[in-house]
Amino acid sequence: MHRTFSATFKLLTGNEPFPWQTALYEEWFSQGKFPASCNLPTGLGKTSVIAIWLIALAHHPERVPRRLVYVVNRRTVVDQTTVEAAILRKNAEAAGVPVPAISTLRGEYADNREWSADPSRPAIIVGTVDMIGSRLLFSGYGIGFKAKPLHAGFLGQDVLLIHDEAHLEPAFQHLLKAIECEQHGGRVTFDGGCAGRGSQTTDFRPLRVMELTATSRGQGDVFTLTAEDKKSSVVKQRLGAKKAIVLHEERKLTEQIVELACAREDQNRAVIVFARSVEDVERIAAKLPKGRVQPLTGTMRGLEREQMLRTPVFQRFVPTSNRDELVTPAAGTVYLVCTSAGEVGVNISADDLVCDLSTFESMAQRCGRVNRFGTCKGTRIDVVHPTQFDAKNELDVRRARTLVLLQSLDGDGSPKSLSGLAKQNAEAVHAAFSPTPTILEASGILFDAWALTTIVRDKLPGRPTVEPYLHGISEWEPPETEVAWREEVGVITGDLRQQYDPEDLLEDYPLKPHELLRDNSSRVFDRLKKLGAIKETPVWIVSDDDSVEVTTLGKLIDAGKESLNYKTVLLPPSVGGLDGGMLTGGPTTASDVADEWFEDKEQSVKRRVRVWAEDPEFGEKTREMRLVRRIDLPSDNDDEEGRSWHWYARPRSADDDGSKTSRVATTWNHHTSDVEREARRLADSLLRAKPRLHAALVLAARFHDLGKRRGVWQRSIGNDDYPDKQYAKSGRLPNGGELRPREITDFRHEFGTLVDVLDENQPYLAELQKLDVEVQDVVLHLIAVHHGYGRPHFPIGNVLDPEPKGQNLTQIATKVQQRFAKLQREYGRWGLAYLESLLRAADWAASANPSPMEEACNE
């Protein structure tokens, strides 16, 4: 049954579509076209573009990208898009549209791998500029070099990328256009165009980019409300929502804000307060009534941010339809005190607003968080502003211009009034925006350098860090640092670091968003200095290329604050410094929450866990999980055994290498058969129009693990029954035993596979040579890179094979590099990574969910 757009939209969202939503579907999405910019007022359902995309995908799958990536500003603390996506998934079957996978940075769907586990399934991925941007540039923060090309390929191909509130991140928007143009064989220009664009794309399935904003910087043609929208009673109500602006000359900023906020004390109001600095937010929150105030800053650790969303105070600001049914909203007048973290991406609506003065686009966002739906009576916006501005400070100049614009509104802060101002005096409005940062040009040479993901632990000349390309360079946005607490920092010390490399440990057990807090580097440095821990306390400093410097708290402080810029600081919990999710100089202990990562909303099933061998609940805690790391610690007493620390992950959510381990031990033939079946399924779905690539993917799957049949590899997974039995994965055995991996060699089974396939005395080469020469290169490349190596090379220590069968290993290794360069030119940087990742997805799916296997078979 083919329903109309209107009927499907209502079944999917629960609402009738606005005219602009119908127009966006009929005139754009259903035609396989996507406007470069959508300029839509706050409160009119901007995030419904996800529903529109899903309906278009259902009706016109040949025209519409299979995945939608929704990017929010880096300062956003909570993103209502997650809730919207969950509603769509719940209603999808009834609406007759595909049921999408969902992955976000937070909550139930945080990094759940659904989006990358099955690339044939429609998916919604929600993330910050840092999360999505770094991954697009083959530099994903905290995911390890082996996974970087997978993330780049699946985020940079067959994707519609929606950049929400794009005016807040002009550097990132420019970068997206550069990537989009690069994939079409051209280069981006500063007016947003694409110069030298070829007639044929160089990438496999190029990225499509659409900015979404309520406060456009005014460049280029935009999609906006239709004439029919302006006749709608709902639209009129929301655009005309009454909000009285009252301006106050500044005397003592925080005291005035507290006084104005407390003036609503007996009026049963939800009052939102904005201040530009974290210090002001802390001072204001401390002076408001206890128990009825909730701070909201971008400097909170992810776990505590999640918990904050379910507090009674915060729930008062959430629309009734989106409130947590298990939380009773606080009564009386309540206060939400925010930095810019509350300005965008948060679906909240306050009754009143009190704030300091910011730039125009920031003030527009703040006004959009109050009386959003036009149903509140007596809404008032109090703005405390300076009486003098520093003419030498560009940001201050922009704030002064904003004040003039606010004064011209004659006390009317409605969306209609603000948008009218932007139309009537666009030049003055744009001059009052925050200054545009210095935007760095990302060239083809840089894209090439970032794509060399095997080169990770040594600095590569000509490959800068990606952060400045994501946000630009600006004096008013200071460098930032992330902080987390991990037990292993205090456990793996001295000689143990030689045996257990911190970089390998973080590869096996990556940092997750719920563990991290982010703050400006100066404040992090100052608060680290206030910790009461001894100078010898171990500290790990992680760079954005995932390299780890092991140092001490004393040396870190001696190095100065600049050494922390754009780094992640890992502390042992014993050092303390965490209070309410914020970095302080107070508490003497902090919590390691690495294991607090769950499969479900009820938080009953953990995705990973680290367990000491003597734990009486060891078996229960690790049930249905696979071992990813075992750490054996020596005893202080020669007469006693040392302790053993086991790290486990749930197969369907782990994001480590996974080449050796599984929940249950899996025989070689069985695993290979499963991978080939999964690869064929993906090829049938995604490569139907590319029969040569279809054949390449299936054959690569059939051959991919030949190198695991080496005796040295079998022994490395604990298989003492070789050659009678050959396994592809270690894990629990049906008889109650277990194969446990052990590091005894630098041999990479992918390299061994290449040796076998190219051996004229084995049958594989003859089968390979049935394909065209160009397709043979694809097969060999997919085999070489399916665990992240070979981009562009195998490290020299991995160019080995205990059973080379007369092959020239150096020549084989050299061909890996040549093949990578050639295929990247042919399929594009992201296109090649996409093709590689199809085999990796097939391998991952087979490992996570092996088909039933009879234990008796001797394979």
Side-chain angles (χ1 to χ4, degrees):
M1 177 181 179
H2 190 83
R3 298 186 180 92
T4 64
F5 169 77
S6 180
T8 307
F9 186 90
K10 185 171 183 180
L11 285 170
L12 196 55
T13 67
N15 302 308
E16 296 284 353
F18 288 121
W20 73 261
Q21 293 164 333
T22 301
L24 187 61
Y25 172 78
E26 293 180 347
E27 298 171 18
W28 292 90
F29 281 33
S30 67
Q31 305 301 314
K33 300 186 298 182
F34 307 93
S37 178
C38 287
N39 187 355
L40 301 165
T42 297
L44 291 183
K46 284 190 300 176
T47 54
S48 68
V49 296
I50 301 176
I52 298 170
W53 159 78
L54 195 56
I55 297 170
L57 180 65
H59 293 166
H60 306 282
E62 73 287 353
R63 302 176 186 170
V64 180
R66 196 174 299 258
R67 286 181 295 284
L68 183 141
V69 176
Y70 198 98
V71 184
V72 296
N73 178 267
R74 62 178 169 158
R75 294 171 295 176
T76 303
V77 171
V78 57
D79 179 30
Q80 181 61 23
T81 308
T82 303
V83 177
E84 301 296 333
I87 292 171
L88 298 181
R89 178 150 91 170
K90 180 180 178 181
N91 297 336
E93 188 172 353
V97 301
V99 179
I102 300 174
S103 184
T104 72
L105 267 183
R106 66 179 186 89
E108 181 182 357
Y109 306 105
D111 272 5
N112 60 6
R113 286 292 304 269
E114 280 191 356
W115 67 279
S116 57
D118 185 354
S120 68
R121 180 182 178 185
I124 301 165
I125 305 103
V126 185
T128 63
V129 169
D130 291 294
M131 175 199 176
I132 302 298
S134 66
R135 284 160 169 76
L136 273 173
L137 296 183
F138 295 86
S139 306
Y141 299 145
I143 61 173
F145 81 91
K146 297 173 186 175
K148 288 182 187 336
L150 182 145
H151 287 240
F154 283 162
L155 292 175
Q157 299 283 281
D158 203 10
V159 161
L160 170 62
L161 190 148
I162 307 293
H163 184 196
D164 196 13
E165 307 297 355
H167 62 282
L168 297 176
E169 293 284 3
F172 183 60
Q173 183 63 22
H174 188 78
L175 173 67
L176 291 176
K177 297 303 294 184
I179 293 173
E180 189 177 35
C181 288
E182 191 73 25
Q183 291 187 0
H184 286 82
R187 59 180 176 80
V188 71
T189 58
F190 268 95
D191 62 359
C194 192
R197 185 166 179 158
S199 60
Q200 186 174 7
T201 62
T202 59
D203 268 51
F204 188 63
R205 289 179 173 166
L207 185 70
R208 314 291 290 274
V209 177
M210 185 176 83
E211 71 169 20
L212 191 60
T213 177
T215 319
S216 174
R217 287 183 182 260
Q219 294 181 345
D221 296 330
V222 297
F223 174 87
T224 188
L225 297 182
T226 68
E228 290 301 312
D229 286 296
K230 296 171 184 177
K231 301 175 184 177
S232 163
S233 59
V234 175
V235 173
K236 286 181 179 179
Q237 175 177 300
R238 296 185 183 183
L239 292 182
K242 294 187 179 300
K243 309 175 188 183
I245 293 182
V246 182
L247 303 174
H248 306 267
E249 291 187 354
E250 181 182 327
R251 301 185 309 275
K252 292 184 178 180
L253 180 63
T254 56
E255 286 82 351
Q256 280 178 272
I257 288 178
V258 170
E259 180 182 336
L260 290 166
C262 287
R264 279 85 161 174
E265 181 61 25
D266 299 323
Q267 300 175 21
N268 192 33
R269 307 287 277 184
V271 183
I272 191 167
V273 177
F274 281 104
R276 288 182 301 128
S277 78
V278 173
E279 290 80 5
D280 282 346
V281 165
E282 292 174 343
R283 284 191 285 266
I284 293 166
K287 294 179 180 179
L288 290 171
K290 297 288 186 291
R292 287 189 283 122
V293 59
Q294 175 64 61
L296 172 61
T297 75
T299 62
M300 295 177 70
R301 187 168 66 172
L303 182 71
E304 283 75 16
R305 287 204 306 264
E306 267 303 301
Q307 295 169 345
M308 179 214 65
L309 303 182
R310 294 186 288 273
T311 62
V313 170
F314 187 84
Q315 287 292 307
R316 265 292 293 281
F317 294 82
V318 177
T320 304
S321 60
N322 293 125
R323 286 178 179 171
D324 191 318
E325 59 187 19
L326 301 178
V327 180
T328 301
T333 293
V334 294
Y335 306 91
L336 185 62
V337 188
C338 312
T339 58
S340 58
E343 290 178 4
V344 294
V346 186
N347 187 18
I348 54 178
S349 182
D351 299 323
D352 300 295
L353 164 65
V354 182
C355 64
D356 59 7
L357 179 69
S358 187
T359 51
F360 185 84
E361 84 284 5
S362 174
M363 294 302 300
Q365 295 292 342
R366 293 176 177 187
C367 293
R369 300 299 156 209
V370 62
N371 193 16
R372 292 185 69 191
F373 308 109
T375 57
C376 184
K377 304 296 183 183
T379 292
R380 175 169 160 151
I381 299 171
D382 288 289
V383 183
V384 180
H385 64 85
T387 56
Q388 293 183 326
F389 296 89
D390 182 356
K392 295 181 180 180
N393 184 310
E394 183 61 23
L395 195 59
D396 239 24
V397 169
R398 304 297 181 108
R399 293 173 66 219
R401 293 170 182 167
T402 299
L403 178 60
V404 172
L405 291 169
L406 294 180
Q407 290 168 333
S408 72
L409 292 173
D410 293 327
D412 182 3
S414 68
K416 182 178 180 179
S417 179
L418 288 170
S419 61
L421 185 64
K423 290 177 182 177
Q424 296 162 13
N425 202 350
E427 187 175 341
V429 167
H430 297 143
F433 274 40
S434 59
T436 302
T438 300
I439 295 176
L440 303 181
E441 283 295 321
S443 64
I445 294 174
L446 284 176
F447 291 136
D448 281 339
W450 284 321
L452 303 178
T453 51
T454 303
I455 307 173
V456 289
R457 295 183 179 176
D458 296 309
K459 294 295 181 183
L460 178 67
R463 183 171 66 182
T465 59
V466 302
E467 201 282 338
Y469 292 83
L470 304 182
H471 302 293
I473 299 174
S474 59
E475 296 177 1
W476 54 93
E477 290 283 357
E480 293 182 317
T481 298
E482 290 187 314
V483 183
W485 287 258
R486 280 285 187 95
E487 293 282 358
E488 50 264 38
V489 177
V491 172
I492 308 300
T493 59
D495 293 341
L496 284 173
R497 286 200 299 268
Q498 304 302 316
Q499 185 176 356
Y500 304 106
D501 189 319
E503 292 167 343
D504 292 337
L505 297 181
L506 290 177
E507 184 94 31
D508 286 344
Y509 221 71
L511 289 163
K512 295 298 177 184
H514 73 276
E515 301 180 69
L516 295 161
L517 65 81
R518 175 185 292 224
D519 206 340
N520 78 60
S521 300
S522 292
R523 190 157 46 238
V524 169
F525 184 75
D526 289 341
R527 296 188 176 183
L528 290 177
K529 288 197 299 184
K530 295 177 182 178
L531 295 175
I534 60 174
K535 292 184 177 181
E536 291 74 23
T537 299
V539 176
W540 295 358
I541 300 178
V542 187
S543 297
D544 68 352
D545 61 1
D546 296 324
S547 61
V548 179
E549 176 190 354
V550 178
T551 185
T552 64
L553 186 60
K555 290 179 180 178
L556 180 153
I557 293 170
D558 289 343
K561 64 182 180 183
E562 288 76 16
S563 65
L564 298 185
N565 292 351
Y566 309 116
K567 303 289 180 64
T568 299
V569 177
L570 291 189
L571 303 168
S574 59
V575 80
L578 186 69
D579 187 9
M582 308 274 282
L583 181 64
T584 70
T588 56
T589 60
S591 54
D592 176 342
V593 297
D595 294 349
E596 301 303 305
W597 187 40
F598 297 93
E599 286 276 303
D600 54 344
K601 186 176 181 180
E602 293 74 24
Q603 298 189 347
S604 60
V605 181
K606 286 189 174 182
R607 294 178 179 171
R608 63 185 186 184
V609 65
R610 293 162 297 172
V611 188
W612 291 97
E614 65 269 23
D615 190 322
E617 298 182 2
F618 185 99
E620 182 63 30
K621 289 180 177 179
T622 61
R623 182 177 298 169
E624 301 299 314
M625 290 191 169
R626 67 183 182 87
L627 182 69
V628 296
R629 169 72 64 169
R630 173 175 169 165
I631 297 174
D632 294 313
L633 304 180
S635 172
D636 294 333
N637 188 334
D638 293 339
D639 296 329
E640 296 179 2
E641 285 189 18
R643 303 180 72 197
S644 181
W645 202 11
H646 301 254
W647 296 7
Y648 279 84
R650 199 163 296 280
R652 60 183 174 274
S653 59
D655 57 357
D656 52 275
D657 181 9
S659 64
K660 289 188 176 182
T661 65
S662 181
R663 181 174 54 84
V664 295
T666 309
T667 56
W668 186 91
N669 275 353
H670 194 90
H671 174 70
T672 300
S673 176
D674 280 354
V675 175
E676 184 177 349
R677 184 186 65 251
E678 287 291 332
R680 190 179 299 278
R681 181 183 65 81
L682 292 177
D684 289 345
S685 176
L686 301 171
L687 300 175
R688 221 175 320 174
K690 306 276 186 179
R692 300 200 313 164
L693 292 178
H694 184 295
L697 179 63
V698 174
L699 190 59
R702 188 178 307 155
F703 289 166
H704 81 291
D705 270 355
L706 290 172
K708 287 186 174 182
R709 306 182 85 165
R710 302 288 195 280
V712 66
W713 194 92
Q714 291 292 317
R715 289 191 295 275
S716 77
I717 63 168
N719 180 17
D720 295 327
D721 291 330
Y722 178 82
D724 294 336
K725 289 188 176 182
Q726 296 178 15
Y727 288 92
K729 305 281 180 180
S730 65
R732 294 186 176 96
L733 295 165
N735 62 10
E738 184 174 7
L739 300 184
R740 293 180 176 176
R742 50 200 180 206
E743 299 297 331
I744 60 175
T745 178
D746 289 328
F747 169 69
R748 291 300 312 179
H749 72 274
E750 313 96 289
F751 190 77
T753 299
L754 292 177
V755 173
D756 281 349
V757 172
L758 296 170
D759 184 356
E760 295 179 352
N761 296 314
Q762 297 190 63
Y764 314 114
L765 183 60
E767 191 170 358
L768 177 70
Q769 290 175 338
K770 293 177 182 177
L771 303 176
D772 293 345
V773 174
E774 294 81 6
V775 184
Q776 293 178 34
D777 280 344
V778 175
V779 174
L780 294 171
H781 177 73
L782 296 185
I783 290 169
V785 302
H786 80 273
H787 283 294
Y789 291 85
R791 308 188 94 249
H793 60 28
F794 282 88
I796 190 65
N798 298 124
V799 180
L800 60 90
D801 191 336
E803 303 171 36
K805 305 178 179 66
Q807 298 272 50
N808 186 327
L809 301 186
T810 301
Q811 185 179 69
I812 291 174
T814 300
K815 287 286 189 181
V816 168
Q817 301 178 60
Q818 296 170 345
R819 204 178 291 119
F820 169 73
K822 172 190 171 185
L823 294 175
Q824 189 163 257
R825 286 194 300 271
E826 182 173 351
Y827 294 102
R829 303 168 189 87
W830 293 271
L832 182 60
Y834 175 85
L835 289 174
E836 297 168 11
S837 299
L838 295 181
L839 176 57
R840 299 186 70 175
D843 193 10
W844 187 89
S847 300
N849 299 290
S851 61
M853 177 177 60
E854 293 184 18
E855 192 274 329
C857 30
N858 179 1
E859 307 188 37

